[in-house]
Amino acid sequence: MQNSKLPLSVWARNISPSPTLAVDAKAKALKAAGEDVCGFGAGEPDFDTPEFIKEAAIKALQDGKTKYAPAAGIPDLRWALAEKYRNENGITRAEPKNVVVSPGGKFSCYLAIRATCSPGDEVVVPAPYWVSYPEMIKLAGGTPVYVMAGIEQGFKITPEQLREVLTPKTRMVILNSPSNPTGAVYTRKELEALFEVCLSHGVWILADEIYEYLLYDDVTHHSIASFGPDAAESTITVAGFSKTFSMTGWRLGTMVAPDEVAKAVSSLQSQTSSNATTFAQYGALVALQNSDAARTAIQEMLGVFDRRRKMLFQGLTEIPGVECTLAQGAFYLFPKINPDWGLTSTQFAEELLEKEKVAVVSGEGFGADGYLRLSYATSDEVIEKGLQRMKAYCAKL
Ligand SMILES: *Cc1c(COP(=O)(O)O)cnc(C)c1O
């Protein structure tokens, strides 16, 4: 078909496509053309969904769970999630009415922003950030305000930095721990200090906790909404099944939020996507009900990820000009490249793919030029071979 002469909306004209998906597409195209590509671009676990979860969804399909469900999710799943948030996350007042199940955690984040931000509002986004936050804020008519936290501060913003950027227009602060793209995990103390700043300024917190179970070195996850009644009243907690149970394609995100927010999000969802896929929700329900099987599946995945994390970290630190920290969450490392090489992250990533057939994601899309995101959700062989090639490439710079 031809291009239309009619105009697109301001939203459509200003939105950029996800750069992480773009690198993945380019690497896949090279692979399809027969090239031996080492891919570090993956934004999803390379495991299959655990069998017991798949079986539950298959059974639901066969039992005819193929119709519309309540917009906010099937009652059993909302009930089980409320219980999980109370018992595991310490969000003591979470009830089923506070829970909304959406078609993906990404959509949960978007709806959280849409439910709280009006045109002209500012939303604080710590950088490096997940690529979708700024675009979601702009789609709500808001303005993203960035706070940079580089490798020298462990990719974590300080309360002083946060205080400096808050204005009367600030509506929300987004906190993502464990973080995509850096893998950084905030301690309870650090989160409490950031929460205190938010509380004294009366702003919402969007706590994106999608990687809550992907933790290493015995660090523990802390939900901001568990820090007492004030925290529960001002925090919208988003998570989901994608990263924990290798269910990215199922599209199931979760939210626990104060009454009015949950209600508004549920209404927004009822007028846009309607419910998340009904039989998929029955699969997710079993992941919560069968906690022994779930724990085993998570532990197996974590064991493999942890080994690869150390392997990739070791290899990266051995490359002169590459600086890296051993992140304790998610499945990413976020090394910094030598500024003296005179390359932007994007130039580096493009050349590395072209010359050495290694796919990494440029830090630019995450608001951090000079950095690269490498995912270790890939095989040992790819990590080993990719590191050798990267070393060879960097030696020539
Ligand atoms: C993957 C991811 C999500 C959401 O993933 P869904 O597949 O939409 O559930 C949300 N936030 C971050 C930071 C992510 O990396």
Side-chain angles (χ1 to χ4, degrees), residues 104-106 130 133 176 180 208 210-211 242-243 248 251-252:
K106 193 178 260 188
W130 186 44
Y133 301 137
N176 171 218
N180 175 6
D208 183 346
I210 193 102
Y211 294 97
S242 284
K243 311 291 163 58
T248 46
R251 312 309 305 131
L252 285 174

Side-chain angles (χ1 to χ4, degrees), residues 43-44 102-109 130-131 133 136 176 178-181 208-211 238-243 247-249 251-254 331-332 373:
E44 60 186 346
S102 297
K106 193 178 260 188
F107 200 55
S108 305
C109 290
W130 186 44
V131 291
Y133 301 137
M136 289 174 177
N176 171 218
S179 153
N180 175 6
D208 183 346
E209 304 183 355
I210 193 102
Y211 294 97
V238 166
F241 294 86
S242 284
K243 311 291 163 58
M247 288 168 67
T248 46
R251 312 309 305 131
L252 285 174
T254 60
F331 39 72
Y332 312 102
R373 191 191 75 176

Side-chain angles (χ1 to χ4, degrees), residues 64-297:
K65 308 292 189 198
T66 55
K67 300 292 205 288
Y68 289 133
I74 58 171
D76 285 355
L77 183 57
R78 291 175 79 195
W79 192 91
L81 281 164
E83 190 183 43
K84 167 212 143 42
Y85 281 121
R86 285 194 305 269
N87 297 344
E88 282 193 24
N89 301 68
I91 306 173
T92 50
R93 294 190 191 172
E95 290 177 48
K97 67 170 190 239
N98 300 110
V99 173
V100 183
V101 180
S102 297
K106 193 178 260 188
F107 200 55
S108 305
C109 290
Y110 179 60
L111 293 179
I113 293 168
R114 290 263 21 172
T116 51
C117 298
S118 306
D121 286 349
E122 293 176 356
V123 179
V124 177
V125 182
Y129 48 74
W130 186 44
V131 291
S132 296
Y133 301 137
E135 301 304 319
M136 289 174 177
I137 295 161
K138 289 185 220 159
L139 281 173
T143 308
V145 174
Y146 305 110
V147 182
M148 186 63 194
I151 195 165
E152 69 288 347
Q153 57 188 87
F155 302 114
K156 297 193 256 190
I157 64 162
T158 63
E160 293 72 37
Q161 280 182 298
L162 179 57
R163 214 172 281 125
E164 262 171 36
V165 296
L166 293 175
T167 76
K169 286 184 181 170
T170 311
R171 181 71 55 204
M172 176 182 260
V173 174
I174 299 182
L175 293 172
N176 171 218
S177 175
S179 153
N180 175 6
T182 68
V185 185
Y186 283 89
T187 64
R188 183 180 178 106
K189 237 183 163 165
E190 289 163 343
L191 287 174
E192 280 173 344
L194 292 173
F195 164 66
E196 287 303 326
V197 177
C198 293
L199 182 66
S200 63
H201 280 76
V203 296
W204 289 105
I205 296 173
L206 172 57
D208 183 346
E209 304 183 355
I210 193 102
Y211 294 97
E212 62 182 322
Y213 293 106
L214 301 193
L215 297 167
Y216 315 96
D217 304 335
D218 295 325
V219 296
T220 38
H221 174 74
H222 299 282
S223 288
I224 299 167
S226 72
F227 296 168
D230 287 337
E233 268 172 33
S234 52
T235 305
I236 304 169
T237 307
V238 166
F241 294 86
S242 284
K243 311 291 163 58
T244 312
F245 295 108
S246 308
M247 288 168 67
T248 46
W250 291 55
R251 312 309 305 131
L252 285 174
T254 60
M255 174 192 295
V256 60
D259 295 3
E260 328 81 271
V261 176
K263 215 187 254 176
V265 164
S266 170
S267 297
L268 279 167
Q269 184 155 292
S270 76
Q271 299 285 20
T272 51
S273 65
S274 292
N275 63 279
T277 304
T278 307
F279 51 84
Q281 293 189 54
Y282 281 91
L285 177 60
V286 163
L288 295 177
Q289 288 172 335
N290 195 344
S291 53
D292 286 343
R295 206 166 300 130
T296 306

